[in-house]
Amino acid sequence: DEDVHGVVRLGFLGDGETWQLNSYLDAAAAFRPTLDAMFDTIAGRARTKRHILAYLMNIDAMGHLGDLDQSVDMLVELDRRIRMFQGASRRPIHFTLFSDHGNAHIPSRMVDPREILTDVGVASVEALGTAQPSRLEAVAVVHTRVSYAALHTAGRDVAAIAERASSHADVDLAVGKLPTVPADVDRDRRRFGVWRAGRAHMFTRDAAGTITVEAAASWDWLGVDLRPWRDAVSDEATLSERDAFEATRQGPYPDIFHRVATAFSNPAARYPADIFLSFPDDVAVVGYIVPGAGEIPAAAGFHGSLTRAATLSVVASQSFTLPPALRSDDLAEMFPALRGSP
């Protein structure tokens, strides 16, 4: 609710110093006390603030630890509390709700991406340059339980490693940023690959967001009809940024071109990945193990992959007329208060 160096500070973040621990120890029991604290905070700050940003993680925790019905019950209770709060308020207060990621709501089995690399003949190393010179090598990043894995490797090996990894039974897709060719440099565009079952599918994206899909006929697995944008002679499909979004948002991999193309330049990543492995909805990375605490308890409801279930989220607003679909990247443009603007 306050602009701090261009970033909006959260007006409410849980119910105190142990809020995150409480939410994961017993998400259901912690929910109502957290709601009490959240609405008390909103009531106090609403006297002097025009916008309040609150983060409520209990429903997320229930999605990982419980089941879908329990998560729905929490949403129903949140809706009831919002209506009760608005009914008691002396002035109109409007709510806009958005979730910060998708959620497959499917129990998952855990895999170790380092073992996947080994299975496909790639050396899993802690630092590049430590395997035998003739061997393919990669560093797999294992942090928390999500439905994707980031790999670091030499640029020259991206295609070979992604091809091998995509053939593994636990991997749905492998995606990577490829070296540019002279034609790409001339047109200020970047080249990317999507590998599925060992087969490569290439596309480029220029500075304006225009997508050029190569060998468009081979992308039939995407569940998208590219014929309106396909040149029959070159077998290339050229789509604007908006066309690519609209064409894919109803398919099994919504907005796949934008998501792949921007995954390797995220400003939050100090060391961007070279390859991402996208897992099926019932597969997740095992995650780190805290010494003395054991494995992470979450066993379901993961996100981060390119699948539809793990991608789709929800925006609901009492203040704005929303389009049928939008990117999470565009939330700050639609809701200026998120970036500290009036």
Side-chain angles (χ1 to χ4, degrees):
D1 63 349
E2 181 180 349
D3 187 12
V4 182
H5 303 298
V7 179
V8 179
R9 178 184 297 167
L10 287 162
F12 176 81
L13 184 62
D15 59 355
E17 294 181 355
T18 61
W19 71 282
Q20 189 169 19
L21 176 62
N22 291 336
S23 294
Y24 275 103
L25 287 176
D26 192 331
F31 186 53
R32 284 184 170 79
T34 303
L35 287 182
D36 292 341
M38 183 179 76
F39 283 108
D40 285 347
T41 301
I42 293 174
R45 298 206 173 193
R47 298 189 184 101
T48 58
K49 301 289 185 181
R50 291 186 59 197
H51 305 104
I52 302 165
L53 183 61
Y55 179 60
L56 180 68
M57 71 161 287
N58 302 69
I59 303 173
D60 173 277
M62 181 58 76
H64 290 303
L65 302 172
D67 58 35
L68 181 58
D69 289 341
Q70 291 174 294
S71 299
V72 171
D73 288 344
M74 282 186 163
L75 288 170
V76 171
E77 175 62 14
L78 176 60
D79 178 73
R80 186 186 74 82
R81 294 289 293 270
I82 287 175
R83 295 175 187 276
M84 186 172 69
F85 178 84
Q86 290 176 316
S89 176
R90 293 183 178 180
R91 64 185 182 86
I93 295 180
H94 303 288
F95 284 79
T96 294
L97 308 180
F98 58 91
S99 47
D100 58 352
H101 55 69
N103 193 323
H105 284 295
I106 296 175
S108 300
R109 54 190 174 83
M110 305 304 152
V111 300
D112 190 328
R114 294 165 294 193
E115 295 179 359
I116 290 176
L117 290 175
T118 301
D119 289 346
V120 298
V122 176
S124 176
V125 297
E126 296 295 323
L128 296 178
T130 56
Q132 296 177 1
S134 60
R135 291 199 65 185
L136 295 172
E137 63 175 8
V139 178
V141 180
V142 179
H143 45 87
T144 189
R145 287 192 173 173
V146 287
S147 54
Y148 73 93
L151 307 180
H152 295 279
T153 189
R156 64 181 181 276
D157 295 332
V158 166
I161 293 175
E163 177 183 338
R164 292 192 184 193
S166 72
S167 66
H168 196 282
D170 290 330
V171 176
D172 183 25
L173 302 174
V175 303
K177 180 181 178 181
L178 297 171
T180 56
V181 298
D184 295 334
V185 175
D186 293 342
R187 298 172 64 176
D188 190 23
R189 62 187 187 183
R190 300 291 180 267
R191 181 172 297 273
F192 304 91
V194 179
W195 286 262
R196 181 175 182 266
R199 185 177 180 183
H201 306 270
M202 307 298 181
F203 73 93
T204 61
R205 181 176 185 265
D206 66 17
T210 301
I211 301 296
T212 301
V213 181
E214 301 176 5
S218 70
W219 290 74
D220 55 336
W221 55 271
L222 195 58
V224 173
D225 184 6
L226 295 175
R227 287 177 298 176
W229 303 278
R230 177 174 173 262
D231 181 281
V233 176
S234 66
D235 195 21
E236 290 186 346
T238 302
L239 299 84
S240 68
E241 178 91 348
R242 177 50 54 179
D243 285 341
F245 175 75
E246 291 295 334
T248 59
R249 70 180 179 89
Q250 299 285 5
Y253 301 99
D255 207 17
I256 184 172
F257 299 115
H258 177 84
R259 294 190 67 200
V260 171
T262 57
F264 302 94
S265 57
N266 192 312
R270 184 176 181 183
Y271 302 105
D274 299 295
I275 298 171
F276 285 103
L277 305 182
S278 178
F279 297 118
D281 290 331
D282 61 349
V283 174
V285 174
V286 64
Y288 57 76
I289 296 177
V290 179
E295 292 187 356
I296 302 169
F302 296 105
H303 48 85
S305 75
L306 294 168
T307 68
R308 182 174 185 83
T311 298
L312 294 187
S313 189
V314 173
V315 182
S317 179
Q318 297 175 325
S319 304
F320 301 90
T321 300
L322 300 174
L326 71 157
R327 292 189 179 114
S328 58
D329 289 1
D330 299 333
L331 282 175
E333 295 299 322
M334 178 159 286
F335 308 115
L338 289 175
R339 61 176 191 271
S341 302

